[in-house]
Amino acid sequence: MNENLVIIPTYNEINNIEFIINKITSLNIDVDILVVDDNSPDKTYEKVEFLKKNISNLYLIINNKKSGIGKAYIKGFEFAISNNYSKIIQIDADMSHDPNDIYRLLKYSKNYDLVIGSRYINGIRIVNWPLSRLALSYFANLYAKIITGLNIYDCTGGYKCIDIDLLKSINLNSINSQGYSFQIEINYRACIKNFKIKEIPIIFTDRTIGKSKMSKRIIIEAIFIVPMLRLKKILKLIK
Ligand SMILES: Nc1nc2c(ncn2[C@@H]2O[C@H](COP(=O)(O)OP(=O)(O)OP(=O)(O)O)[C@@H](O)[C@H]2O)c(=O)[nH]1
Ligand SMILES: [Mg+2]
């Protein structure tokens, strides 16, 4: 096993998964890869099972049903903890995140516990999103920043490198967020516990293949979870 683990959550990514796995394995970095699939109707997991035959450092967890990106990552974090990885890298399957940025994420992770690939630091770097989607993401981030008081410009981004000690310090079972608020919650907990956080600029490109899983439910969840996080902190319910 390698020291570091890349986790890719998937739901209906049959036409993206092989490409991203090949990209990551072709990088000059020794990392293991874990796909956490929610029993995708398009059978993404079957493609991964096939690829596993030739890629020894590729792992797969299949959940029974779709339970959101947060739950998928928690399964991945538990795998990382029980297999003693040092750093975990979160990445989307749809090539919105450039796998080449893993080099920089890992480089900064030597000095920081949480490195966030940020779309909103030093300007906005998002390619091909319609203005409405950009506005939603931008204002969601502003909302999260103001309510939580976090000094992070991209709180909802999913491209990150997390130190295993940070994950071990969080009671993963107590995380309920499922959508984007999961990303905010991890950042918030890292900040409360005084872990060192760094945002580094990345370019985010809209997916060209497959469908977005963005939904009203995910947005409504985030609207409620953000003030709840603040409240729980005030009431000392998250330590
Ligand atoms: N296991 C699992 N993965 C999910 C779930 N929802 C989304 N994902 C994966 O999480 C990653 C990010 O989801 P996306 O749908 O790309 O979300 P997004 O990037 O915010 O939105 P778009 O780029 O517009 O699609 C992708 O790899 C998805 O396949 C889920 O419920 N379960
Ligand atoms: Mg995406």
Side-chain angles (χ1 to χ4, degrees):
M1 275 187 157
N2 285 302
E3 205 186 333
N4 302 320
L5 177 71
V6 176
I7 304 177
I8 315 175
T10 54
Y11 192 72
N12 286 345
E13 301 288 4
I14 187 92
N15 294 317
N16 284 313
I17 195 64
E18 183 170 8
F19 189 77
I20 185 151
I21 288 174
N22 286 340
K23 273 271 167 197
I24 296 169
T25 51
S26 68
L27 296 173
N28 192 13
I29 309 177
D30 293 329
V31 285
D32 287 350
I33 303 172
L34 170 68
V35 175
V36 186
D37 186 77
D38 278 6
N39 208 359
S40 296
D42 73 358
K43 298 201 164 49
T44 304
Y45 54 88
E46 280 187 359
K47 179 66 110 351
V48 179
E49 267 159 1
F50 174 77
L51 295 169
K52 262 163 62 63
K53 291 181 186 156
N54 289 317
I55 306 175
S56 61
N57 57 328
L58 176 61
Y59 299 90
L60 172 67
I61 293 175
I62 309 172
N63 292 324
N64 309 337
K65 60 176 174 65
K66 182 166 172 20
S67 313
I69 193 171
K71 288 265 181 312
Y73 268 125
I74 287 171
K75 281 271 173 75
F77 294 167
E78 286 166 350
F79 176 93
I81 291 170
S82 53
N83 289 289
N84 294 317
Y85 287 97
S86 299
K87 308 276 177 193
I88 75 98
I89 292 133
Q90 295 184 186
I91 192 168
D92 289 356
D94 57 6
M95 290 303 291
S96 285
H97 301 144
D98 179 353
N100 278 307
D101 289 331
I102 294 176
Y103 291 111
R104 278 192 306 135
L105 286 170
L106 280 173
K107 186 180 126 203
Y108 279 93
S109 77
K110 292 193 176 114
N111 297 315
Y112 294 90
D113 305 299
L114 170 60
V115 186
I116 300 172
S118 177
R119 297 162 292 181
Y120 299 118
I121 194 164
N122 306 334
I124 300 176
R125 281 172 317 283
I126 296 179
V127 180
N128 284 346
W129 257 6
L131 194 60
S132 54
R133 182 73 204 269
L134 176 63
L136 175 70
S137 168
Y138 186 81
F139 287 108
N141 270 292
L142 201 60
Y143 172 75
K145 189 169 189 287
I146 292 167
I147 306 267
T148 59
L150 276 174
N151 190 22
I152 296 173
Y153 289 87
D154 193 349
C155 263
T156 57
Y159 202 11
K160 294 173 169 173
C161 182
I162 312 178
D163 192 276
I164 203 77
D165 289 334
L166 196 169
L167 294 178
K168 283 182 185 163
S169 79
I170 295 175
N171 177 3
L172 295 173
N173 292 322
S174 70
I175 295 184
N176 293 314
S177 310
Q178 293 186 1
Y180 294 108
S181 40
F182 170 78
Q183 308 295 359
I184 305 172
E185 184 158 358
I186 295 287
N187 299 345
Y188 194 55
R189 287 175 183 244
C191 177
I192 289 172
K193 288 174 185 284
N194 290 322
F195 281 101
K196 285 167 74 185
I197 304 174
K198 173 83 178 166
E199 268 184 289
I200 61 166
I202 55 144
I203 296 173
F204 178 100
T205 311
D206 192 16
R207 64 158 77 234
T208 51
I209 299 170
K211 272 207 204 122
S212 172
K213 278 100 218 170
M214 179 62 157
S215 64
K216 275 205 191 100
R217 186 168 175 243
I218 288 177
I219 300 169
I220 293 166
E221 182 196 45
I223 292 171
F224 285 102
I225 292 253
V226 168
M228 280 304 286
L229 287 174
R230 186 81 202 227
L231 191 67
K232 279 187 182 167
K233 160 89 180 358
I234 293 166
L235 299 174
K236 298 201 167 27
L237 294 173
I238 349 184
K239 288 175 208 118

